Structure formats: structure tokens, C-alpha cells
């Protein structure tokens, strides 16, 4: 999709549900960014996705909005997992989910990252959450403890994959990829595509839609 075509697209054109459109209107977003206009329809259709985009292109909305559109709120189990390289990004992405879900009653998102006590997170997981946003090491800790059940996972997002590679998390990321249901949808976002990230995309993504957005 060329950028000129996205000038006329509104969020309503992307088949997002009314509660999400209401939340977008609350925060003053009128039209999707190029990456959102390209990714949202692909992810809503259930396709895997390989996105090359810098931070600041609106990529959080590109994956968060379609995830929210497909959440079954009555099922209080993790239906989406977003892996991120840093605690700052985990908090930021979780806050974005929260604001986009402002009109979705009983929606729960939980950020999990190193350096915080387990207690409150364990009780939140026991009460039930729909989306988990976490750093790879802490997600593995919860998998090993049996406190995070990913058996009902519908969507896995690897956000800033090249940054996770640079920080040495790639083995953890692959272990998580091995543990999630094969039927899941996978979206991988990376600003650059080093060989290790290309290999992961080739190994774990099924016939992905490819989206590249210039900074």
C-alpha cells in the first residue's frame, strides 16, 4: 500500500470493532499510520507478519489493535503474548493496550519483567489476564514456575526483535517460540533484519505478510 493510499484510510475502514474505534477517538487518533494501515488488515485476517519498522512509526498500534479486536474477554487466559527487550518497553506497550481497551470492560493486560517481585504478578496471573507483555527471561521464569499458561495463546508478537538479539535474549525467544501452540499467529517486528532474525522469521513464521515502512 503506498503512503498516498493511506491518506484516505480511516480506522473505521479497517474493520476494527466499535469499542476500539471509540477509544481511538478518545485519544484523538483519526487515521492509521502507514504501518497500521498495512498491518491491521493482515493481522485481523489471521496471517503471520514480518514487519520492518523503526520505533515511532506507530507499530504498537499495528499489533495491539488487531489483538484487541480478536480478544475473547470472557476467557480469562493469556490469548496474546508480546515479547519486548526492556522493562520500559513492557510498561509502555501494556499502557498502550490499556488505553486502546478503555471501552472493553474487564480486559486485563499484565507487564512482566525482571526486577519486580513475583507476588503481585502471580496473583494477577491467577485471577486471569488476556494479554501478557514481557521480557523473555521473565516470561521463561513464569513458564518454569508453571504460573504462565500459554496453551490458549492465539497471537505471539516479537517486538524490536533485533534489540532482543543485541541484548542476548535470542535463545530465550526461541525457547518461548517452541513452547507456544503451533496454531498461533506470529508477528515479528524489527528495525533491521540481521541473519539471526531472518532465520527466526524463516523458521517460525508461516507465509507471512511482509510490511516495510521507512522511518
Amino acid at each position: 500500500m503506498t503512503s498516498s493510499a493511506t491518506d484516505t484510510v480511516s480506522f473505521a475502514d479497517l474493520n476494527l470493532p466499535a469499542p476500539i474505534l471509540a477509544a481511538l477517538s478518545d485519544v484523538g487518533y483519526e487515521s492509521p499510520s502507514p504501518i497500521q494501515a498495512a498491518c491491521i488488515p493482515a493481522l485481523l485476517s489471521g496471517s503471520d507478519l514480518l514487519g520492518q519498522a523503526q520505533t515511532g512509526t506507530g507499530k504498537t498500534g499495528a499489533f495491539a489493535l488487531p489483538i484487541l479486536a480478536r480478544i475473547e474477554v470472557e476467557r480469562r487466559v493469556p490469548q496474546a503474548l508480546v515479547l519486548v527487550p526492556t522493562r520500559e518497553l513492557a510498561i509502555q506497550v501494556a499502557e498502550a493496550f490499556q488505553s486502546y481497551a478503555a471501552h472493553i470492560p474487564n480486559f486485563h493486560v499484565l507487564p512482566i519483567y525482571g526486577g519486580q517481585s513475583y507476588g503481585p504478578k502471580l496473583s494477577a496471573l491467577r485471577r486471569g489476564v488476556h494479554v501478557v507483555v514481557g521480557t523473555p527471561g521473565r516470561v521463561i521464569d513464569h513458564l518454569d514456575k508453571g504460573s504462565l499458561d500459554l496453551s490458549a495463546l492465539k497471537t505471539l508478537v516479537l517486538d524490536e526483535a533485533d534489540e532482543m538479539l543485541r541484548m542476548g535474549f535470542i535463545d530465550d525467544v526461541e525457547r518461548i517460540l517452541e513452547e507456544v501452540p503451533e496454531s498461533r499467529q506470529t508477528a515479528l517486528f524489527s528495525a533491521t533484519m540481521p541473519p539471526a532474525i531472518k532465520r527466526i522469521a524463516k523458521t517460525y513464521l508461516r507465509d507471512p505478510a511482509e510490511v516495510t515502512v521507512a522511518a
Side-chain angles (χ1 to χ4, degrees):
M1 191 179 274
T2 62
S3 56
S4 58
T6 61
D7 295 344
T8 53
V9 174
S10 72
F11 280 111
D13 296 330
L14 299 178
N15 294 325
L16 291 166
I20 294 177
L21 294 175
L24 289 166
S25 163
D26 290 349
V27 290
Y29 293 162
E30 282 163 17
S31 53
S33 70
I35 192 165
Q36 291 166 352
C39 293
I40 290 170
L43 290 172
L44 282 176
S45 76
S47 172
D48 281 3
L49 185 110
L50 180 59
Q52 187 164 1
Q54 311 290 333
T55 305
T57 48
K59 69 178 160 58
T60 303
F63 62 77
L65 296 169
I67 284 172
L68 287 170
R70 298 166 68 204
I71 284 289
E72 299 168 71
V73 179
E74 62 287 351
R75 297 180 66 212
R76 292 187 68 161
V77 292
Q79 295 167 45
L81 170 64
V82 182
L83 291 179
V84 295
T86 63
R87 75 177 265 171
E88 290 73 30
L89 193 56
I91 294 166
Q92 195 183 318
V93 169
E95 284 172 353
F97 268 101
Q98 206 70 65
S99 69
Y100 296 143
H103 296 279
I104 304 176
N106 303 318
F107 168 78
H108 295 282
V109 57
L110 182 71
I112 56 177
Y113 44 83
Q116 42 173 192
S117 63
Y118 279 99
K121 300 299 165 180
L122 291 171
S123 43
L125 286 166
R126 273 198 293 272
R127 283 196 302 274
V129 300
H130 301 100
V131 175
V132 172
V133 183
T135 50
R138 188 47 66 108
V139 167
I140 283 182
D141 288 348
H142 279 282
L143 288 173
D144 288 346
K145 280 188 164 62
S147 48
L148 178 58
D149 176 9
L150 297 178
S151 60
L153 198 75
K154 294 195 282 195
T155 305
L156 173 68
V157 177
L158 309 180
D159 191 17
E160 303 203 352
D162 50 353
E163 204 49 31
M164 290 196 280
L165 172 69
R166 196 183 64 75
M167 293 171 74
F169 294 149
I170 220 67
D171 290 347
D172 288 349
V173 168
E174 290 210 60
R175 179 168 156 208
I176 294 163
L177 279 159
E178 294 290 346
E179 292 207 15
V180 292
E182 270 192 33
S183 58
R184 77 196 178 255
Q185 173 185 46
T186 311
L188 186 158
F189 291 90
S190 197
T192 59
M193 289 288 166
I197 299 301
K198 284 187 179 148
R199 181 183 61 77
I200 282 189
K202 203 172 164 197
T203 309
Y204 296 100
L205 271 59
R206 286 185 301 259
D207 192 21
E210 296 195 28
V211 175
T212 303
V213 175

